Amino acid sequence: MSGSVRLAICAALATAAAACALLPLVNPAGWLLQAALLLAVQSAAGVAARRVPLARPLTVAGQAVVMLLLLTAVFAPGQAIAGVLPSPQALHEFALLLREGTSDVGQYATPAPVTDGIRLLLVGGVLLIGLVVDALAVTYRSAAPAGLPLLALYSVAAGLSDDGSDWIWFLVAAAGYLLLLLAEGRDRLSQWGRVFSGGAPRAAGMPASGLAGAGGGPAAAPVRAGHRIGVLALGIAVAVPAVLPSLDGGLLDRQGNGGGPGSGGGTISAVNPLVSLQDSLNQPENREVLRYRTSSQTTQDMYLRIVALDKFDGASWKSSERHVTDVPGRLPAPTGLGPAVRTTSVDTTISAAEWYAQNWLPLPYPADKVQIDGRWRYEPEGRTLVGDRGQTTRGARYRVTSLMVEPTADQLASAPPPNPRLLREYTEVPDSLPPVVSRTAREVTSGASNAYQKAVKLQDWFAVNGGFRYDTEVQSGSGSNAIAKFLKQKAGFCVHFSFSMAAMARTLGIPARVAVGFTPGTSQADGSVSVGLKDAHAWPELYFEGVGWTRFEPTPSRGTQPDYTMEQTPSGEVPDEPSSQPSTSSEPTAAPSASDSCAPELRKQGGCEAAAVPQPGDGSSDGGLSVSTVTSWSSLALLVLVVPLLPMLWRRRVRARRLDGSGGRTEQDAADRILAAWHELVDTAWDFGVLPDDSQTSRKAVARIVRLTELDDEA
């Protein structure tokens, strides 16, 4: 095996070893195998390019092109030309996945689920680091600087992980780097007769490659250099993560890493709202989080609310930066709640489990008075309590007096418009929200005469007659594109239902936000109620003037729909029955069908055909090839024909310029011609498979070329 191939293998192994440090950050770990396979293909492309041989910049560029093709084939085959060549649509898909991945990284605590966006960040990042390491260590024959990208990869992982087994991945990454150093030292220094620092000449008959024995010979030098560089790099790797900020667990964190907003700070910033919610729902054991006793005769509306997410920026829902104050003896009256609405005071005593530690206090909404020990602060807009200076819910015992708000359907239907400030803030949607979201909202609520009727229609469409399915295994992110994807696939869990209903309500001019917390739990024989991990939940809150923020429940088979939403609108219409006939095809469609995007009323009246979205190929075309298709295939054919010829054409041009005997006759001109001839000799040898080695003297380089090409001494 040649030294170049050995170095390429060691570079790939070192990258894969450093990538293992990312394993504690996500779950499951199947992405690493995929990254390793793609990394092997990318490294093989580099080996082939150096065998051709290509110039060093062209080798790196070729590997970059291979990396792009691999990522396109894996992450955007449906938008690519022939499933591999990136098209503008494929690049747009990459942009969406990167944005969703960035959003998901901020949403989930470790270990995060491997969504499509996160998988692209992981696999693409490993390939990019692998390309840099291969270029430095193999193409440019400088393995020591290759430790910097490996160090960056490990340091980021170590800085974000709270896993106690980080030292294992540290040793794996360190071993990979040292292996690369020793391989590079073996390949480089064995070519020299004497080591830089002096020592005995190479013994007669010693092979041109391989490490010498003990002593001061070629073997000792790379080992000593490897030790010095390795110790320095590993020391940096230990120090860098110590100063990097780590991510706390978040709202539903089971590890107890809540950090609080700081030392009595005056504001709280956006938090991770859904960090462990899906993971909690998928736990095999419904471990108890809270236990409470309440004076309420019924617990179906005793949702324990943690925080409200009121800001939708297109990438995620999160809570806005808000001012916090000391917890008052009695909390202010709820925003928008008028005296005409019936309320009942409820006393609840809550105990948090000793293992459950996060810095937002679960409360029934709206709380009127909270009695709790410890350092807690009050955020008035969301009516939430947040721990200060590391205060968490671990083992907390507290008592809450809250209001059971019981509006009637008539009160909600006759609610006046909210004040302009609140309306403007809570109906804001990003420009990136796909038009299908607002269009579907209008279709679903067709025929509703007020905001309340529209809200009920939205809730019923998601929970009853829209054909949606509850599935906690769905991985589709939380951004704008994820909402459109959910409306098409019609499968998800509470995050998807609440996010989608809140966004659709905002497009209809109804103030909306998303609440995160727990459903009421399960009654016990001793009269208490137990709340477990599987009760973690998210639901939309819509604002009605005179009633305030009002809970709705669009998630099927989860929680309970409030009584005030059960009174249907007096339109005389009969809700559509869910179709009992299965779809004729289980294959996903490229565009929403009429039944997907059409309101139940229009579908019942047979008016969906006219509103169906045209499919590709529809229209007045006679079935011939479109201009874009012809252009795409012509461009592909041109690339296939021209690209392989570029290295040869470039090489011929360089050779002709070097061997051109014209020019000046000064000493400098003569020296330039000699140097050009030398470069041409080295590159000609490269053309015949003899890779250049900059570590050799000119005399030894010539002797090496003669030996490897089996030329006679006279030649």
Side-chain angles (χ1 to χ4, degrees), residues 123-266:
V123 176
V126 171
L127 290 184
L128 182 60
I129 294 295
L131 175 61
V132 175
V133 171
D134 186 88
L136 291 173
V138 190
T139 304
Y140 287 93
R141 297 284 178 160
S142 185
L148 294 177
L150 294 176
L151 174 62
L153 184 62
Y154 169 77
S155 297
V156 169
L160 297 180
S161 175
D162 56 2
D163 191 353
S165 60
D166 287 343
W167 62 273
I168 297 176
W169 310 120
F170 169 71
L171 292 180
V172 172
Y177 178 51
L178 293 179
L179 176 66
L180 179 62
L181 285 177
L182 292 177
E184 193 259 357
R186 173 191 177 100
D187 186 66
R188 176 187 291 271
L189 296 181
S190 62
Q191 303 294 331
W192 288 80
R194 295 177 182 270
V195 182
F196 295 113
S197 59
R202 189 169 57 214
M206 179 182 292
S209 62
L211 296 176
V223 171
R224 287 197 301 269
H227 287 167
R228 289 193 295 269
I229 298 173
V231 168
L232 177 61
L234 300 185
I236 296 174
V238 171
V240 170
V243 299
L244 285 178
S246 62
L247 297 181
D248 291 333
L251 295 178
L252 303 174
D253 182 26
R254 301 187 310 283
Q255 306 301 327
N257 294 326
S263 280

Side-chain angles (χ1 to χ4, degrees), residues 445-705:
T445 59
S446 175
S449 59
N450 54 61
Y452 164 71
Q453 292 180 5
K454 292 177 182 179
V456 172
K457 279 179 174 285
L458 283 177
Q459 174 186 270
D460 292 345
W461 183 66
F462 282 114
V464 181
N465 54 32
F468 286 86
R469 175 171 53 87
Y470 183 78
D471 185 356
T472 60
E473 300 295 332
V474 171
Q475 303 279 358
S476 57
S478 58
S480 298
N481 191 60
I483 295 177
K485 184 177 180 181
F486 168 65
L487 295 180
K488 179 180 179 180
Q489 294 181 343
K490 296 194 172 185
F493 60 107
C494 56
V495 169
H496 306 91
F497 287 96
S498 57
F499 282 8
S500 299
M501 180 171 171
M504 293 170 76
R506 285 193 172 192
T507 66
L508 298 173
I510 307 173
R513 64 188 185 188
V514 176
V516 179
F518 298 96
T519 53
T522 306
S523 298
Q524 305 297 304
D526 61 357
S528 64
V529 180
S530 175
V531 178
L533 284 174
K534 292 183 181 294
D535 294 310
H537 193 46
W539 62 93
E541 292 180 340
L542 276 56
Y543 183 85
F544 295 90
E545 191 66 38
V547 179
W549 289 103
T550 308
R551 177 178 69 87
F552 285 79
E553 186 54 87
T555 306
S557 73
R558 294 285 292 170
T560 58
Q561 292 188 354
D563 291 339
Y564 46 79
T565 67
M566 305 303 290
E567 232 176 294
Q568 298 300 316
T569 58
S571 61
E573 295 177 338
V574 180
D576 288 339
E577 292 295 326
S579 173
S580 60
Q581 297 298 324
S583 171
T584 57
S585 172
S586 60
E587 295 295 324
T589 58
S593 65
S595 59
D596 287 335
S597 60
C598 186
E601 292 81 357
L602 288 177
R603 185 163 63 247
K604 183 169 63 178
Q605 297 168 7
C608 291
E609 289 76 6
V613 177
Q615 299 298 320
D618 289 347
S620 58
S621 172
D622 59 359
L625 294 176
S626 64
V627 175
S628 61
T629 303
V630 173
T631 303
S632 299
W633 283 106
S634 300
S635 302
L636 175 61
L638 186 63
L639 286 174
V640 171
L641 293 175
V642 173
V643 170
L645 299 177
L646 291 178
M648 182 187 69
L649 297 175
W650 175 84
R651 182 73 181 88
R652 288 170 64 91
R653 180 177 180 275
V654 171
R655 179 182 177 88
R657 188 175 68 250
R658 286 173 174 172
L659 300 182
D660 183 8
S662 62
R665 292 295 182 263
T666 65
E667 291 185 2
Q668 182 61 44
D669 295 332
D672 291 341
R673 284 194 293 272
I674 293 173
L675 184 59
W678 171 255
H679 287 157
E680 181 57 30
L681 172 64
V682 173
D683 285 350
T684 301
W686 195 353
D687 291 340
F688 286 91
V690 181
L691 296 177
D693 190 346
D694 296 338
S695 64
Q696 294 183 329
T697 64
S698 57
R699 189 181 301 275
K700 282 189 170 292
V702 171
R704 177 171 174 264
I705 293 173

